Amino acid sequence: MIKAIDRHHGNFLLTLLSIAGSINIVTESASALNITRLSSLGNSTIAANNFGSEIPAYDPASRKLFLTGPNNRLDIADISNPASPIPLPSIDLSSYGAGVNSVAIKNGIVAVAMEANPITNNGSVVFFNTNGVFQSQVTVGALPDMLTFAPDGNRVLVANEGEARGAIDPDGSVSIINLNLSSGILNPTVNTATFDSFNGQENTLRSQGVRIFPGQTVSQDVEPEYITVSDDGTSAWVSLQENNAIAVVDVANAQVTSIVPLGAKNFNAPGNGLDPSDRDGVVFGGAANSPAMRINNWPVFGLYQPDTIATVTIAGQTYLITANEGDTRDEARRVSTVTLDPNVFPNAATLKLNQNLGRLDVSSIDGLNAQGQYSQLFAYGGRSFSIWNVTNGLSPVFDSGDDFEQILAAFSATPLSPSIFNSDGTPSSFDSRSDNRGPEPEGLALGSVRNRLYSFVGIERAGGFMVYDITNPSNPLFTNYINDWQLGDRLFSTLCDNFCLWNREMLIGQHF
């Protein structure tokens, strides 16, 4: 999720796409989808008329699209005819909170997450009907950054990120809102799953691989990012991005039952390469400190640190799908500035060159030995999407390796040709993100088309989305990469019923 202080709200453009069953753009699979633009919504010459498009939600009954927008508003459009969407009046949310962070819809109820001012105070969730009429408002935890309905629509789960500001660091938590719909009247009550019971277990969790920052209690340190709920509504999984872990929640009892570390990806393994430098053009004869595409294996590990997550049950097994974006709390340091263990890195001087690992951001709190040297290097994010078997205790099933960077590289004729490879969405920023988190896969949606299950993975920086057929979760097949950056599209969001809506930073799927 984009933090409240990091939003990218410029040049909004929403695009509707159709989905068909033929091969399109880049493909390795006979089950590829042909995804075709239908129409656009937004892109007005009048800034006030442009649709914000960070988080979308679609209501299949009213055929309305709801989007969290700039200027603390909820934008609405009628997309009964996806080829000709109609903007509807927006809802001014300024009387309900200081900023809108998320929206979700179920059974005609629209739930909106609102942060407070100051951001460290408890926020709220506001409920509307699909005509935009206010229903109720409840208080939740600090910085409610994402919310989702349970499958039956009777509960709303809220990820209260609880980000620190200065000396104030509110606890992270998960609020569970019971809508109490049996009487036919929306009368919500709130229970909150806290992490208090894990306080005092910081060293144990660190030894297991959960990143708990120095001097922090667990409840202060965790920042719940994204939630996915089991089909039966009894369990939820919550991404703790900065902690590189997943929390498991007993929904009925509003209790966090476990915190499970995700481990690290070996970028030195076959198929797991990365481009760690934005100044490696000299390797190909370019000017010193110039950009280039150079994907290789390197002695670095990647913290998965997923943002968006989703669950799906296939043949009786439940799988967790993660978009491994990566994130930092300003603890990153470049490899060129750290002291490497000479026994592990005898070629440290070479590795520290700008064209090699010198520019790469790595964690300053992971990989240290007793002598204060780094015997392992941990970069942020897996630059991939992964599939984990939840039924068998969150065991790894699949990771897309270096697919995303290789696919982005395919758009450039030579290593030195400017393209959208690891860029901020334009050739002018070519390779600029390689030393950070590369393509930064952030968003994720799952959808079924003609009895095939697909994963759509949104690429935050370069834009666009990757499409994989995950019908066999042990052997996903890459099918498409869709990116219309030339047309101004920003964040990519898969919608429903044989069409897609896209913009830039997140992919959200509903009602396939």
Side-chain angles (χ1 to χ4, degrees):
M1 302 288 288
I2 296 297
K3 310 298 185 298
I5 58 171
D6 286 331
R7 301 193 188 284
H8 303 272
H9 277 311
N11 301 321
F12 292 108
L13 178 68
L14 305 180
T15 304
L16 296 180
L17 309 170
S18 65
I19 298 181
S22 58
I23 295 175
N24 188 36
I25 304 183
V26 181
T27 179
E28 295 174 358
S29 168
S31 58
L33 300 176
N34 182 22
I35 302 177
T36 306
R37 169 188 292 267
L38 287 178
S39 60
S40 296
L41 178 65
N43 202 31
S44 170
T45 56
I46 302 173
N49 293 338
N50 273 330
F51 266 47
S53 53
E54 186 175 359
I55 309 296
Y58 173 71
D59 177 46
S62 65
R63 305 286 287 180
K64 290 179 181 177
L65 178 69
F66 295 78
L67 306 114
T68 62
N71 304 317
N72 200 6
R73 73 185 191 220
L74 189 66
D75 289 327
I76 308 172
D78 180 343
I79 54 174
S80 299
N81 177 6
S84 184
I86 302 170
L88 299 175
S90 299
I91 301 174
D92 181 356
L93 298 171
S94 58
S95 62
Y96 303 106
V100 56
N101 292 326
S102 186
V103 60
I105 299 172
K106 189 80 171 180
N107 300 334
I109 299 172
V110 182
V112 180
M114 303 294 301
E115 67 184 50
N117 183 16
I119 201 172
T120 51
N121 283 358
N122 286 337
S124 65
V125 171
V126 188
F127 294 98
F128 300 89
N129 64 24
T130 54
N131 292 320
V133 178
F134 171 82
Q135 302 294 296
S136 62
Q137 183 171 6
V138 294
T139 299
V140 292
L143 187 56
D145 195 35
M146 179 269 172
L147 50 72
T148 186
F149 281 85
D152 64 6
N154 291 324
R155 292 186 175 98
V156 173
L157 285 78
V158 188
N160 303 311
E161 196 163 1
E163 280 190 349
R165 289 293 186 275
I168 301 175
D169 189 357
D171 288 353
S173 64
V174 176
S175 289
I176 299 171
I177 304 171
N178 299 289
L179 298 182
N180 300 319
L181 297 174
S182 58
S183 63
I185 299 172
L186 187 64
N187 185 29
T189 57
V190 182
N191 294 312
T192 297
T194 73
F195 291 82
D196 292 352
S197 64
F198 295 91
N199 290 343
Q201 301 180 37
E202 289 78 14
N203 288 335
T204 299
L205 289 169
R206 290 186 187 108
S207 69
Q208 295 170 353
V210 179
R211 298 178 77 234
I212 306 296
F213 279 58
Q216 293 285 90
T217 65
V218 174
S219 60
Q220 287 177 320
D221 198 60
V222 296
E223 295 178 3
E225 189 77 26
Y226 208 93
I227 304 171
T228 183
V229 187
S230 63
D231 292 342
D232 62 9
T234 62
S235 298
W237 294 270
V238 183
S239 58
L240 307 177
Q241 187 171 31
E242 292 84 356
N243 307 105
N244 195 37
I246 299 292
V248 183
V249 176
D250 177 338
V251 175
N253 295 309
Q255 180 180 7
V256 180
T257 58
S258 61
I259 302 174
V260 185
L262 289 174
K265 175 176 180 174
N266 184 0
F267 283 120
N268 216 15
N272 278 1
L274 81 160
D275 183 341
S277 176
D278 60 341
R279 298 184 183 179
D280 44 2
V282 64
V283 175
F284 301 102
N289 294 323
S290 63
M293 299 179 306
R294 186 182 174 217
I295 304 168
N296 287 316
N297 290 125
W298 296 95
V300 176
F301 292 90
L303 302 166
Y304 289 99
Q305 296 186 306
D307 188 324
T308 308
I309 59 177
T311 47
V312 63
T313 299
I314 302 173
Q317 301 289 305
T318 300
Y319 297 92
L320 181 72
I321 323 294
T322 62
N324 305 318
E325 179 193 25
D327 204 1
T328 174
R329 293 179 182 150
D330 300 322
E331 81 281 7
R333 295 178 62 185
R334 297 194 188 274
V335 171
S336 61
T337 69
V338 304
T339 301
L340 301 180
D341 183 342
N343 296 314
V344 179
F345 302 104
N347 58 339
T350 299
L351 290 176
K352 287 187 172 189
L353 295 175
N354 279 350
Q355 64 264 33
N356 295 328
L357 292 181
R359 297 278 299 165
L360 182 66
D361 280 345
V362 293
S363 170
S364 63
I365 68 169
D366 300 285
L368 280 166
N369 62 21
Q371 289 72 44
Q373 304 164 331
Y374 288 85
S375 55
Q376 290 181 311
L377 295 172
F378 290 90
Y380 299 95
R383 306 190 180 199
S384 62
F385 88 101
S386 299
I387 301 177
W388 315 77
N389 189 312
V390 175
T391 304
N392 294 328
L394 204 60
S395 57
V397 173
F398 169 82
D399 184 83
S400 60
D402 57 17
D403 281 9
F404 294 171
E405 284 182 280
Q406 297 287 2
I407 292 162
L408 289 170
F411 283 80
S412 186
T414 72
L416 293 173
S417 299
S419 72
I420 58 171
F421 174 81
N422 285 357
S423 72
D424 270 316
T426 62
S428 63
S429 55
F430 166 61
D431 195 39
S432 63
R433 300 299 301 174
S434 289
D435 58 323
N436 305 116
R437 298 184 290 273
E440 294 189 40
E442 181 181 16
L444 178 72
L446 305 181
S448 295
V449 181
R450 283 192 284 281
N451 297 317
R452 308 295 297 181
L453 180 63
Y454 294 88
S455 175
F456 302 81
V457 184
I459 305 302
E460 177 179 359
R461 295 293 176 171
F465 56 90
M466 306 284 178
V467 185
Y468 280 74
D469 182 336
I470 62 168
T471 307
N472 178 357
S474 299
N475 186 32
L477 300 172
F478 170 69
T479 66
N480 306 74
Y481 172 55
I482 309 297
N483 190 339
D484 275 356
W485 63 268
Q486 299 96 331
L487 300 176
D489 296 331
R490 289 314 226 185
L491 175 80
F492 289 79
S493 302
T494 297
L495 280 177
C496 59
D497 301 337
N498 289 335
F499 59 88
C500 297
L501 172 91
W502 90 46
N503 38 42
R504 181 174 178 184
E505 289 155 357
M506 182 171 300
L507 190 74
I508 300 220
Q510 302 180 57
H511 310 298
F512 269 91

